[in-house]
């Protein structure tokens, strides 16, 4: 399936990729990544139509697929949806949740500092513009500044990539939880 409908309205067709090509690029980038930074946004929120089981299944799939990699998760989720991300407990920061401690934030910032000049896969899943300063903009900045970083932005509605990230990012116009859940099946 070609994502023609999504890109028809964009002036720059250089981001036009087939689904299989996107998947192939993802697996290649994951294989060579030393660090994997995962941003999980509102598309995974149980208040936005996702069940807790769907979110948990997607998180478990993501954890298995990235197993053995040095991963960290930052999320704008809280409450029940945050609880479903338990496979990443200990390597996760949730700045909008009341349970976030200063130590957790410091651990995230320290981990992030070690991504410089490292092969880093940035996987942004379902983040919108509610809190762009927590995931969306920092991921773009990291991809732009770190020559060894690559961004996959997976989102049904907001998967646009700025021109400044040409060649450093891929836009994936899909439901991000379904994308994550499907990775385990693809890995076989």
């Amino acid at each position: 399936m070609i994502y023609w409908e999504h890109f028809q309205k964009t002036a720059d067709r250089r981001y036009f990729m087939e689904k299989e090509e996107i998947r192939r690029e993802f697996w290649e980038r994951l294989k060579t990544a030393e660090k994997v930074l995962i941003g999980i946004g509102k598309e995974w929120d149980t208040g936005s139509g996702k069940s807790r089981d769907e979110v948990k299944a997607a998180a478990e799939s993501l954890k298995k697929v990235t197993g053995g990699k040095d991963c960290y998760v930052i999320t704008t989720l809280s409450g029940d949806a945050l609880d479903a991300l338990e496979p990443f407990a200990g390597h996760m920061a949730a700045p909008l949740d009341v349970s976030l401690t200063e130590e957790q934030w410091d651990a995230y910032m320290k981990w992030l500092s070690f991504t410089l000049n490292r092969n880093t896969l940035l996987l942004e899943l379902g983040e919108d513009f509610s809190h762009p300063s927590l995931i969306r903009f920092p991921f773009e900045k990291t991809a732009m500044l770190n020559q060894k970083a690559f961004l996959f932005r997976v989102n049904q509605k907001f998967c646009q990539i700025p021109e400044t990230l040409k060649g450093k990012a891929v836009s994936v116009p899909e439901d991000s939880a379904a994308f994550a859940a499907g990775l385990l099946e693809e890995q076989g």
Side-chain angles (χ1 to χ4, degrees), residues 140-174:
E140 289 176 3
K141 187 174 182 179
T142 300
M144 188 172 58
L145 295 177
N146 182 348
Q147 295 303 309
K148 295 182 178 181
F150 195 87
L151 169 66
F152 281 85
R153 177 168 283 157
V154 186
N155 195 305
Q156 278 184 314
K157 296 178 186 172
F158 302 110
C159 62
Q160 301 83 352
I161 301 292
E163 182 71 23
T164 55
L165 292 180
K166 184 172 54 175
K168 305 255 317 148
V170 170
S171 171
V172 185
E174 287 184 39

Side-chain angles (χ1 to χ4, degrees), residues 75-167:
T75 181
T76 54
L77 299 178
S78 60
D80 195 39
L82 179 61
D83 293 341
L85 298 180
E86 72 176 279
F88 292 101
H91 283 93
M92 180 170 58
L96 301 181
D97 193 70
V98 295
S99 67
L100 180 74
T101 65
E102 189 173 337
E103 291 80 23
Q104 288 171 319
W105 186 252
D106 289 344
Y108 168 65
M109 295 307 288
K110 183 178 179 182
W111 185 92
L112 194 56
S113 72
F114 287 110
T115 64
L116 288 175
N117 205 27
R118 301 282 170 115
N119 235 353
T120 304
L121 174 63
L122 305 164
L123 184 56
E124 182 186 302
L125 299 168
E127 182 58 21
D128 60 12
F129 288 96
S130 299
H131 303 283
S133 63
L134 294 175
I135 297 175
R136 195 171 189 89
F137 296 158
F139 275 44
E140 289 176 3
K141 187 174 182 179
T142 300
M144 188 172 58
L145 295 177
N146 182 348
Q147 295 303 309
K148 295 182 178 181
F150 195 87
L151 169 66
F152 281 85
R153 177 168 283 157
V154 186
N155 195 305
Q156 278 184 314
K157 296 178 186 172
F158 302 110
C159 62
Q160 301 83 352
I161 301 292
E163 182 71 23
T164 55
L165 292 180
K166 184 172 54 175

Side-chain angles (χ1 to χ4, degrees), residues 20-37:
E20 294 77 25
E21 194 177 355
I22 290 170
R23 294 297 199 273
R24 197 169 26 258
E25 178 85 10
F26 173 80
W27 289 111
E28 287 174 20
R29 297 285 179 174
L30 180 62
K31 183 179 178 182
T32 61
E34 298 170 69
K35 304 268 189 185
V36 180
L37 179 57

